[in-house]
Amino acid sequence: MTIFPELPEMPAGFVWGAATAAYQIEGAVAEDGRGESIWDVFCRRPGAVAGAESGAVACDSYHRWRDDVELLAGLGVDAYRFSVAWPRVLPAGGGAINQPGLDHYDRLVDALCERGIRPFVTLYHWDLPQALEDRGGWRVRDTSERFADYAAVVAGRLGDRVRDWITLNEPYCSAIVGYAEGRHAPGATEGHGALAAAHHLLVGHGQAVAAIRAASPRARVGITLNLSPAVPAGDTEADRAAADRMDLLVNRQFTDPVLGGGYPAGLEQLFAGVSDLSFRRDGDLALIGTPLDFLGVNYYYRIHAADVPVEQRDPALRSASDIGVRPAPRDGVPTTDLGWPIEPWGLHDTLAELAGRYPALPPVYVTENGVAQVSDGHTEDLDRIHFIAGHLAAAARAAAETTVDLRGYFYWSLLDNFEWARGYAPRFGLVHVDYPTGTRTPRASYRWLSEQLSGRTRIGGTPAGVGRGEEGR
Ligand code: FCB
């Protein structure tokens, strides 16, 4: 007999959700006037994506979105986090609005609200219009301004029903993985450019917060950051220093300024020789630190940081990610099929660290957490059930023991989908997708979660998209 874990008690009004992102699920990249994104172009670059795959078809959710809404309703979640594709709305990045692209999200939002599912809309989940990349992409400040214009357009159209907005998803990945490591679109390997990108993403975030609030005064606005506690791989001074550098690069480069504290001391030293940071302007920090309604946290794993001696580092410091740290495997720690250490308590530590570091921390949602298998047909996914339950137990403990005001958890992902440079092999879904046919098959984890969720009173969106449970908090 298999004993299934139970979901832990969560604070009143807790929002249960599932998440996806446009380029990973929609397909239909050339339909209804959509412009090209940096991912369309990057996927054509030889060797960029495993198996030369792309999001051209993906889960075909642009056509099958009704099926996806039914799956969400069957799952019994309160909320759905999805992203809007900027190049569908503004194919050239700015200028003319493409109404058919906006109509798609309008219909999706209506269908969600009809089912009582509260939309959490991410505005930027990595699919920059290629037209803007051609003009410098996130290296240039103009892109921040275009982002705020785009945010205003979407909030103007959907803001009567959507209340919860996420400006950016994981600016660390957009900037560092995209512009320094080159593993993600646009595939650049630069130092200065990547740091400028990180800054302009945050400036764009600050401008978008204001634009969304102006377009929709009832909006609740946040940002999603990928946070990973960095722990020293060995008990040495060098590894402790490496963990501190990793913490600065991955976490505090983003959390400190977004939560109003400006860039952390030590960051400039970290980047000395990579960039003169001349892209920073007066007034930027106030904009970036605009108080938020919530913080979104994506947690996947802890980083075990091992020092790389100076003489072995990239002498050109071409990559802003070369700060002399090597993620080290850890004996006795199980890993996912992607090699990511499975350490649920890392989610507790992430939340506890936020609460400890930032006295004015806004409410927090875990906006992503999930596990991938690489074998197709793995539908009796007991390992995923235990992964989710373990992480939720850790999150519940953080909510009980620290000052963190934890408001929700979104599993990544509702569906198997296009996992960026890794292509379609990693499968994160509660629902299996057969890519040749688009057929969706709920896994055991979906059935377990839906059973667990059906036991509680629904606190999800009303037709107006407002979470009843959270009202008045
Ligand atoms: C996160 C991304 C998301 C997905 C998961 C596995 O970094 O935000 O799109 O790819 O990783």
Side-chain angles (χ1 to χ4, degrees), residues 335-360:
T335 57
T336 72
D337 285 1
L338 300 184
W340 298 356
I342 303 176
E343 297 180 293
W345 51 93
L347 177 55
H348 167 277
D349 294 354
T350 301
L351 298 172
E353 213 155 75
L354 282 172
R357 279 181 179 168
Y358 306 103

Side-chain angles (χ1 to χ4, degrees), residues 21 24 81 125-126 169-170 173 226 298 300 340 368 412 417-420 428:
Q24 297 180 271
R81 174 179 177 233
H125 203 124
W126 307 353
N169 178 70
E170 302 189 355
C173 292
N226 53 302
N298 291 355
Y300 286 94
W340 298 356
E368 285 181 31
W412 181 273
N417 59 48
F418 176 68
E419 180 46 30
W420 309 112
F428 275 93

